[in-house]
Amino acid sequence: MPIKSYEVRFHGRGGQGVVIVSKIIGYAAFLNKSYIQCFPEFGVERRGAPVKAFLRISNQQIFIRSSIEKPDCIVVLDPMLLSQHDTLAGASSDCLLIINSRTADLQIQKSFNNICVVNASDIAVQNGLGTATTPIVNTAIAGAFAQATEIIQMKHLEKAILKYSPAKIQENVKAAYQAYNTVSKPIPLK
Amino acid sequence: MPRHELLTGNEAVAHAVAMAKADVIGIYPITPQTTIIEEICNLAANKTFSPKIVHVESEHSAMATIIGAAFTGVRTFTATSSQGLALMHELLHWAAGGRLPIVLANVNRAMAPGWSIWTDQNDSLSQRDTGWMQFYCESAQEVLDTIFLAYRVSEQVLIPSMVVLDAFVLSHTSEPVEIPDNETINKFLPNFTPSFKLDIDNPCSFGALLRPQFYQEVRHKLNDAMSEALIKINESDKLWKQLTGREWGIVTEYRADDADYLFVTSATTASTAKPVIDKLRKEGLKIGLIKIRVFRPFPFEQVKKYLTKCKRAIIFDRNISYGHHGIFAQEIKSALYGVKNSPEILCYTGGLGGKDITPQLIEETIIKGTKTKLNGSLFEWI
Amino acid sequence: MKNLKTPLQQSGINVPISGQSLKTTAENKTGIWRNVEPFYLDRISPCAQVCLSGHDIPVIIELVYENKFEEALKILRLANPLPASTGRVCPAPCESSCLRKSLGGSVSIKQIERFLGDFAIENRIFCLSKGPHRGRIAIIGAGPAGISAAYFLAIKGYFVTVFEEKKKAGGLLRYGIPSFRLPKRILDRELEIVFKQLPVEFIYEKRITKDYEKLLRQFDSVIITCGKSISQIPDIPGAGEKMSGLTFLEQINNGDSQPLSGSVAVIGGGSTAFDCARSALRLGCDSTIYYRRSKKEMPAFEHDITEGLEEGIQIVENVIPIQIDKNGDYKITFAKTTSKDRKSAVKIIPNSEFAVTTDHILFATGEKQEHLFNKVQKETGGIDVSQTYRTSDPKLFAAGDVTVMAPGTVAGAILQGRLTATSVHNYLNKTTEPHPAKIPHLRGAKDDGTTIEKINLNYFQELRRSAQKATDIKSRLKNFDEISSTLNENSVAWEVKRCFSCGTCVYCSNCMNYCPDNAISFDSSKKRFSVNLDYCKGCLICVKECPRHCMGSKYAAA
């Protein structure tokens, strides 16, 4: 359990379920009796365009209501976004990166100590979530988040998926577990 | 038993309106308010409550619709933002002049042009003199609680209420909210028994001509009712504390008792300011926070009570009266005019059109406020 | 909290919480602001004003509009027992004066009457006597005036005996008007439903002339309605009784006609001239009408002329016969004339004579009355009667074309029959019932005049008059069948919808809806609007917005 507010920033693209995954993880934390605050990037959301969402998790009431500029964790639903300048903005070298990618061989490995790569796209497709061209990766990412951070528990994540998934609930839960079991805790490289 | 849910500020509005069992709701969409009426429609569709929802063609009509409904003595609601509120302007006077206990949620959004969907307070503050009560909220919980309070006080003093919440920062942010049980709400908010209403068995006209002899008398009464409202808000707040353990006050203070400096602000800015106050206190600065929650009726006594104890008040407005300065600052100054032990006053305006108000920004403002050498009044942009 | 009171409240005055009245606004009697005030006045419509029988036309139309055909018929019969007949032969001045004329054509009032008449026949809606039987009346002549008088007396309860010299009743309707205008079958059936259940006895083939004085002793009262039955043949060389147009028509109507060939010359310009010419066409002749004045001065009704020309009649204007020679066929010598109008005498143009050869000649130059009733009849011309159709003998009355007040139309004769019936009734009962030429308007309409300027045309759109179905010309000439058919119910509904109801309130509620003071109310039991003068400010919006001139205004009474 974090002592102070744990701040997460999600990056994805419109239609990938970026806002929903922030809510799913937030709700799972809420069920674990944490204070949470989650909000979308304030603005206009368009399919395919880069989208951000924010999540604060704390064991105390959260008062700060500004957007997250120095996140403790960055979740990237689409590796294409790593090339965007603001995706990793404000991240210290200790910031946890959870990245959906088919390859673990990423350029950024040199600058960050804690990187968790999950092949959420393939997991999603294997579970019939979305298509090969547009996989719905958010629940797999949530499973990876649970494994990497240990802030949320899988039983709560399951309930959260139940609450926020519009369809294919069992497939989504399965994808979350598959990701949870696939990824390992990030090992500091340095 | 109360239950806990993750709600956005807008969802909190909708749930409170449903629990208050509003009878007639006029709806017209505008970002960032729209999710309020969407959630109200969801709640009505799943039979959480059974309002008459009237789809109209403009905000003007939405307000006109519920004014008509309110004259028949039923509980009414609508929600809007920014240009929508501005379009309602004429009818806001009708609602207040008609002494109708309407509750409206306004999600603060900057006025166009330039086109903006993000928050600042100029839309609601432009309606300052329409005769409505205005409550500025900092959290989804406060939003939920204030809707109940607004109905209760409005129906006691027959003045409409505007519950105001910041766009996105509050309206679209999910956070845990404690939802009271229905029994609690029934205790706090009994059924409305109007003292007058449209009644075919006792016909009389509403909104009729008032000759000079009477017009000012009626306005005098409305103003008196505003004073009475402060008392009712206070009473209701105490009752709410008994029932739920929560109170929001008229003016909320945070570490203000022994403060040399007071950071005075409203809405979510006050929320973000709290950890900043804690940090600066830790660093040895005797700083406190005052949040003006009830803007109309204006809490002269409470403002005087807190501000006469400090040396310097640093007022942060998320609004601007062009040609002057922040509007809360004007009001606070007028409350302190001629008052003994009035503090020095510094007026800052920032965060317009959704410009992010971060803890760093607040800290810088406070530091600046404490260090500035003052010669008369000061106004600066942040 | 201190007790908040405004200054007025402190001085004991009740101040409302808002801009609302403390009591109902009915407290405020705005009627005293009034300078002028509206009133309701139903006005006799232009059509009813000119109706030859005095029908209350808008009321009849209103009832038809409500699909109350039987009730409409009842109103119709207040003035006229023979709507199926007059609905076919009336010149319909009502339609000429109809204010709808400029917005799609006048309402087909005559066709509505015909529809109702046929409705009565088809549904066998008999006329019934209302009163106790209380006197015996003799009527001489079963023409339109006699039938009308008999009907109006019989429904009052009188026993009526009608003496008719011919084999059947109807007079001009039967013997003077060809079947293609009024089929005998219609007339027979109409007379049947009128008289079958009334205390009226017809004695046929009984010619009463000088022996009418005997009837005066046998009956409580006698009415002479024998019309003019003899063609007036001009006194020119070669002309004779056997050239009588009336006799020609009577033969055809009796079924005694023979096919004709060659050409016929009809002298005259009235309806009879056209009936003769059109009948001759149907018997196989070419018909030419010779008239001493111009075509536009012809006394024939417009539709006679139009239909006659359609069928192929030739018209020669401004000619007058001066001599007829018979030499196998006829040679008629005409002189040309000039004419100014119908009243002044024609002038013969000297040396303008020309001759026309023809196979047949028919004179339709008017009818005359035999000198039969010497005591009451003028030496030449009709029976002298007062305005109430009384002769110098108090028991003896006369009506129709036999009198000096000869109406000249069937509908006019029916009106005189009705008025005479009232006179007889007044005489026998020593009462003074009025003699209204117009059926008293059901809602007491005044003869105040309604013109197109008084109608609020904003409320009416142009609606085309429905066309009446007629047989094509070629088929028409093959027989004496009726050439036009009765409008169907849909067309009648359309026609009544087109009616402005000039001067007649149809409860459109405009007055009530527009009243800014809510001062107008409607009593649905009395079917009447009224103005509450306690609140009427005299704005007269009601009067302005009345579409059909049923309201008026006057200075407010102090």
Side-chain angles (χ1 to χ4, degrees):
Chain A
M1 290 287 289
I3 299 161
K4 70 172 269 289
S5 181
Y6 186 76
E7 300 192 323
V8 188
R9 201 166 69 204
F10 298 84
H11 292 266
R13 299 200 289 142
Q16 282 187 319
V18 185
V19 177
I20 293 283
V21 74
S22 75
K23 281 198 174 183
I24 287 174
I25 294 171
Y27 190 69
F30 167 70
L31 292 177
N32 202 25
K33 308 237 183 311
S34 295
Y35 287 94
I36 74 111
Q37 185 196 71
C38 64
F39 47 95
E41 183 182 29
F42 307 140
V44 191
E45 289 158 18
R46 283 163 300 173
R47 183 164 290 271
V51 169
K52 280 185 264 188
F54 307 88
L55 172 65
R56 287 188 173 96
I57 304 172
S58 172
N59 58 359
Q60 289 172 356
Q61 195 178 346
I62 301 163
F63 290 105
I64 292 177
R65 293 182 174 276
S66 55
S67 63
I68 291 168
E69 289 170 355
K70 290 178 181 162
D72 299 300
C73 171
I74 292 174
V75 180
V76 183
L77 279 72
D78 187 334
M80 296 278 283
L81 292 167
L82 285 171
S83 59
Q84 294 269 318
H85 74 277
D86 63 344
T87 303
L88 300 174
S92 71
S93 57
D94 288 332
C95 178
L96 170 63
L97 303 184
I98 300 174
I99 296 165
N100 169 28
S101 174
R102 287 199 167 87
T103 167
D105 184 22
L106 296 166
Q107 282 287 317
I108 53 165
Q109 279 181 347
K110 290 164 198 158
S111 330
F112 292 92
N113 301 327
N114 299 318
I115 298 179
C116 169
V117 175
V118 57
N119 187 352
S121 296
D122 284 351
I123 293 172
V125 173
Q126 283 159 26
N127 286 285
L129 304 169
T131 62
T133 48
T134 46
I136 308 294
V137 299
N138 55 3
T139 41
I141 279 282
F145 181 89
Q147 180 64 273
T149 63
E150 293 184 338
I151 287 173
I152 57 170
Q153 297 176 17
M154 282 310 285
K155 62 175 181 186
H156 294 138
L157 188 62
E158 228 183 294
K159 279 191 184 171
I161 290 171
L162 217 77
K163 185 175 168 78
Y164 287 103
S165 287
K168 294 194 175 175
I169 291 164
Q170 286 318 311
E171 290 85 339
N172 276 302
V173 170
K174 229 180 119 193
Y177 271 101
Q178 199 175 328
Y180 180 82
N181 294 328
T182 309
V183 301
S184 51
K185 306 244 173 341
I187 302 149
L189 295 176
K190 285 176 196 165
Chain B
M1 282 289 287
R3 64 184 205 278
H4 293 82
E5 273 191 38
L6 271 192
L7 294 181
T8 64
N10 278 355
E11 286 164 353
V13 172
H15 282 258
V17 168
M19 293 183 80
K21 297 191 208 66
D23 298 295
V24 179
I25 300 172
I27 63 171
Y28 190 77
I30 184 171
T31 300
Q33 166 278 126
T34 308
T35 52
I36 295 178
I37 58 171
E38 282 175 1
E39 186 66 7
I40 281 176
C41 290
N42 282 334
L43 292 167
N46 67 27
K47 303 276 190 286
T48 306
F49 74 137
S50 310
K52 170 87 184 160
I53 293 177
V54 188
H55 296 253
V56 293
E57 73 287 358
S58 74
E59 288 85 355
H60 190 277
S61 302
M63 182 51 66
T65 300
I66 62 170
I67 285 173
F71 267 123
T72 69
V74 300
R75 206 166 267 169
T76 56
F77 178 79
T78 191
T80 191
S81 286
S82 175
Q83 316 297 125
L85 186 67
L87 186 60
M88 279 183 190
H89 175 73
E90 184 218 353
L91 290 166
L92 297 180
H93 285 282
W94 274 93
R99 301 298 296 273
L100 301 172
I102 290 169
V103 172
L104 174 150
N106 181 64
V107 181
N108 270 148
R109 164 179 161 181
M111 297 297 296
W115 202 237
S116 168
I117 55 171
W118 297 278
T119 193
D120 76 34
Q121 297 168 330
N122 261 61
D123 58 349
S124 53
L125 289 172
S126 293
Q127 308 305 333
R128 182 186 68 174
D129 300 334
T130 52
W132 283 59
M133 293 190 278
Q134 290 195 355
F135 302 88
Y136 288 81
C137 301
E138 64 171 287
S139 66
Q141 186 70 60
E142 187 181 1
V143 167
L144 182 100
D145 292 356
T146 305
I147 293 283
F148 299 127
L149 178 118
Y151 274 118
R152 184 181 154 90
V153 176
S154 280
E155 289 168 8
Q156 286 172 336
V157 300
L158 298 177
I159 298 176
S161 285
M162 194 182 291
V163 177
V164 184
L165 54 156
D166 292 329
F168 300 110
V169 183
L170 190 48
S171 71
H172 284 58
T173 297
S174 300
E175 55 191 26
V177 175
E178 183 180 299
I179 301 176
D181 56 25
N182 282 323
E183 202 185 323
T184 305
I185 300 307
N186 292 342
K187 273 186 206 154
F188 184 72
L189 186 59
N191 287 334
F192 175 43
T193 317
S195 59
F196 65 88
K197 63 172 183 175
L198 274 178
D199 179 0
I200 53 168
D201 295 325
N202 179 27
C204 62
S205 71
F206 296 89
L209 182 88
L210 276 175
R211 279 172 292 160
Q213 181 192 12
F214 280 104
Y215 184 88
Q216 186 173 314
E217 295 283 318
V218 164
R219 288 316 191 232
H220 189 149
K221 278 191 156 186
L222 175 56
N223 199 46
D224 284 351
M226 275 284 191
S227 310
E228 196 190 344
L230 275 176
I231 294 158
K232 297 293 182 193
I233 293 166
N234 200 34
E235 282 173 14
S236 299
D237 208 33
K238 296 276 177 297
L239 176 61
W240 191 245
K241 189 174 188 192
Q242 273 178 34
L243 294 170
T244 68
R246 288 188 298 278
E247 64 178 333
W248 299 99
I250 290 169
V251 161
T252 313
E253 63 92 18
Y254 182 70
R255 304 185 82 163
D257 260 359
D258 61 340
D260 290 337
Y261 301 96
L262 282 177
F263 185 68
V264 186
T265 190
S266 60
T268 53
T269 310
S271 179
T272 306
K274 280 174 196 166
V276 181
I277 301 291
D278 289 345
K279 178 172 180 275
L280 292 173
R281 276 274 179 176
K282 216 177 263 177
E283 291 168 5
L285 186 67
K286 285 181 88 175
I287 177 92
L289 170 73
I290 293 291
K291 180 185 82 164
I292 311 285
R293 168 172 142 78
V294 181
F295 175 73
R296 276 292 178 276
F298 194 77
F300 286 93
E301 291 310 315
Q302 288 84 347
V303 165
K304 266 189 253 177
K305 179 181 142 197
Y306 288 111
L307 268 69
T308 49
K309 284 196 232 161
C310 73
K311 289 193 291 193
R312 195 171 256 204
I314 300 157
I315 303 172
F316 189 96
D317 267 302
R318 200 168 204 170
N319 58 72
I320 177 75
S321 173
Y322 306 105
H324 199 171
H325 52 57
I327 295 161
F328 280 79
Q330 293 171 23
E331 302 272 333
I332 291 163
K333 279 183 180 174
S334 83
L336 294 170
Y337 179 76
V339 172
K340 230 169 91 185
N341 301 325
S342 285
E344 294 174 330
I345 292 178
L346 298 90
C347 311
Y348 297 99
T349 279
L352 296 194
K355 186 181 174 192
D356 204 5
I357 296 178
T358 60
Q360 293 71 30
L361 189 83
I362 292 170
E363 188 178 337
E364 283 162 27
T365 308
I366 290 171
I367 299 298
K368 198 187 226 182
T370 52
K371 292 197 173 149
T372 301
K373 231 182 143 190
L374 198 62
N375 182 16
S377 183
L378 174 140
F379 168 64
E380 269 181 28
W381 287 89
I382 293 295
Chain C
M1 157 137 207
K2 64 175 177 178
N3 190 14
L4 292 169
K5 273 192 173 173
T6 66
L8 274 186
Q9 279 178 311
Q10 282 166 23
S11 56
I13 292 172
N14 200 352
V15 176
I17 188 170
S18 160
Q20 73 197 56
S21 58
L22 295 167
K23 295 178 186 164
T24 148
T25 47
E27 294 285 308
N28 192 6
K29 297 206 169 168
T30 50
I32 55 164
W33 308 8
R34 188 174 67 240
N35 293 322
V36 286
E37 64 193 43
F39 57 82
Y40 288 91
L41 177 71
D42 275 8
R43 292 172 169 88
I44 296 175
S45 59
C47 54
Q49 262 172 345
V50 298
C51 177
L52 297 168
S53 321
H55 280 303
D56 191 354
I57 296 168
V59 172
I60 293 166
I61 286 185
E62 188 186 328
L63 290 166
V64 174
Y65 183 80
E66 293 167 5
N67 272 324
K68 295 174 180 165
F69 299 148
E70 232 172 295
E71 280 182 51
L73 182 69
K74 234 178 247 172
I75 306 295
L76 208 50
R77 282 177 173 173
L78 288 178
N80 174 7
L82 304 174
S85 302
T86 50
R88 286 173 166 81
V89 304
C90 185
C94 52
E95 294 189 16
S96 318
S97 67
C98 177
L99 299 185
R100 165 61 85 175
K101 214 190 292 184
S102 57
L103 273 176
S106 53
V107 177
S108 299
I109 302 167
K110 181 173 158 184
Q111 297 306 323
I112 294 167
E113 181 182 37
R114 173 171 167 178
F115 171 83
L116 289 171
D118 286 7
F119 175 84
I121 290 171
E122 274 152 35
N123 295 280
R124 297 182 69 73
I125 302 169
F126 294 103
C127 298
L128 301 173
S129 176
K130 284 183 218 115
H133 299 175
R134 54 185 164 187
R136 298 180 68 238
I137 317 291
I139 292 175
I140 302 166
I147 288 169
S148 169
Y151 163 80
F152 284 104
L153 284 164
I155 58 167
K156 275 192 154 82
Y158 293 95
F159 283 111
V160 183
T161 306
V162 185
F163 298 93
E164 168 59 47
E165 67 169 321
K166 300 215 166 82
K167 283 181 182 162
K168 284 183 164 180
L172 176 86
L173 288 169
R174 181 177 302 280
Y175 298 106
I177 293 173
S179 286
F180 57 83
R181 289 216 284 135
L182 172 61
K184 300 297 160 277
R185 182 179 45 86
I186 296 289
L187 180 63
D188 287 341
R189 294 177 70 193
E190 182 154 55
L191 289 172
E192 186 199 350
I193 60 160
V194 173
F195 289 113
K196 190 162 185 190
Q197 307 206 355
L198 290 180
V200 178
E201 182 192 13
F202 284 88
I203 297 176
Y204 294 113
E205 297 183 274
K206 174 80 178 164
R207 181 176 159 93
I208 307 281
T209 54
K210 297 195 171 76
D211 43 351
Y212 75 92
E213 288 182 56
K214 226 192 280 170
L215 296 181
L216 283 173
R217 290 192 291 276
Q218 291 164 5
F219 290 85
D220 296 318
S221 189
V222 175
I223 309 171
I224 302 170
T225 55
C226 57
K228 286 176 183 159
S229 52
I230 302 172
S231 276
Q232 188 171 330
I233 313 287
D235 187 16
I236 57 171
E241 284 293 333
K242 61 181 181 211
M243 296 172 187
S244 158
L246 269 188
T247 311
F248 171 72
L249 290 174
E250 189 180 331
Q251 277 168 0
I252 296 168
N253 284 321
N254 271 330
D256 302 338
S257 58
Q258 302 293 321
L260 290 179
S261 59
S263 58
V264 62
V266 180
I267 318 295
S271 288
T272 306
F274 280 88
D275 285 345
C276 287
R278 292 172 70 187
S279 294
L281 281 179
R282 283 162 172 77
L283 293 173
C285 278
D286 291 333
S287 293
T288 308
I289 283 179
Y290 298 90
Y291 182 50
R292 57 187 170 143
R293 293 193 172 90
S294 71
K295 197 165 84 186
K296 65 174 191 286
E297 286 151 2
M298 281 184 163
F301 303 125
E302 203 182 314
H303 63 90
D304 289 332
I305 302 172
T306 324
E307 286 177 0
L309 289 172
E310 274 173 16
E311 291 173 6
I313 288 173
Q314 304 293 315
I315 295 177
V316 181
E317 304 170 88
N318 287 102
V319 291
I320 190 162
I322 49 176
Q323 188 175 330
I324 297 168
D325 299 299
K326 183 156 169 57
N327 187 8
D329 48 12
Y330 294 98
K331 191 183 102 187
I332 313 173
T333 308
F334 287 100
K336 291 188 178 171
T337 67
T338 55
S339 60
K340 213 164 70 194
D341 54 49
R342 212 143 98 198
K343 280 174 191 149
S344 44
V346 298
K347 281 182 187 153
I348 294 175
I349 302 171
N351 305 320
S352 63
E353 291 82 2
F354 65 98
V356 169
T357 308
T358 181
D359 296 307
H360 312 281
I361 301 177
L362 291 172
F363 279 96
T365 42
E367 299 82 34
K368 64 177 181 188
Q369 182 52 56
E370 290 172 279
H371 193 70
L372 300 171
F373 309 98
N374 49 352
K375 278 195 183 160
V376 290
Q377 193 169 12
K378 285 185 170 176
E379 200 55 47
T380 54
I383 296 176
D384 209 0
V385 289
S386 70
Q387 288 296 316
T388 51
Y389 305 93
R390 308 177 72 145
T391 65
S392 52
D393 184 330
K395 278 182 89 170
L396 184 66
F397 297 79
D401 279 358
V402 75
T403 67
V404 289
M405 303 217 285
T409 59
V410 173
I414 287 171
L415 169 70
Q416 292 193 355
R418 167 161 66 84
L419 300 179
T420 309
T422 309
S423 280
V424 170
H425 175 77
N426 280 344
Y427 161 70
L428 293 176
N429 293 279
K430 301 188 170 52
T431 52
T432 51
E433 271 186 27
H435 290 70
K438 307 289 171 213
I439 286 300
H441 191 288
L442 287 191
R443 291 195 287 270
K446 296 266 170 21
D447 201 356
D448 200 43
T450 255
T451 60
I452 193 74
E453 291 77 24
K454 302 275 176 59
I455 300 292
N456 191 336
L457 291 175
N458 294 324
Y459 288 100
F460 302 103
Q461 60 188 117
E462 182 170 328
L463 300 174
R464 306 299 303 172
R465 178 180 163 116
S466 41
Q468 197 184 3
K469 278 191 194 133
T471 318
D472 69 272
I473 311 255
K474 239 181 168 177
S475 316
R476 273 188 214 177
L477 297 180
K478 288 178 182 158
N479 51 43
F480 280 77
D481 289 352
E482 187 167 27
I483 60 174
S484 69
S485 53
T486 307
L487 289 186
N488 63 23
E489 214 172 303
N490 284 344
S491 301
V492 166
W494 174 254
E495 286 303 306
V496 295
K497 189 186 155 196
R498 296 173 63 244
C499 176
F500 289 170
S501 298
C502 312
T504 300
C505 177
V506 297
Y507 319 111
C508 73
S509 301
N510 254 16
C511 50
M512 188 162 79
N513 296 340
Y514 278 106
C515 178
D517 293 301
N518 217 2
I520 295 178
S521 56
F522 183 63
D523 183 335
S524 52
S525 62
K526 291 182 187 158
K527 285 201 108 184
R528 206 172 64 191
F529 287 99
S530 58
V531 181
N532 186 340
L533 294 175
D534 281 348
Y535 301 106
C536 171
K537 292 205 285 269
C539 67
L540 300 187
I541 290 174
C542 51
V543 179
K544 270 234 160 80
E545 296 308 324
C546 175
R548 39 187 63 81
H549 196 213
C550 308
M551 296 191 77
S553 61
K554 61 183 181 192
Y555 286 112

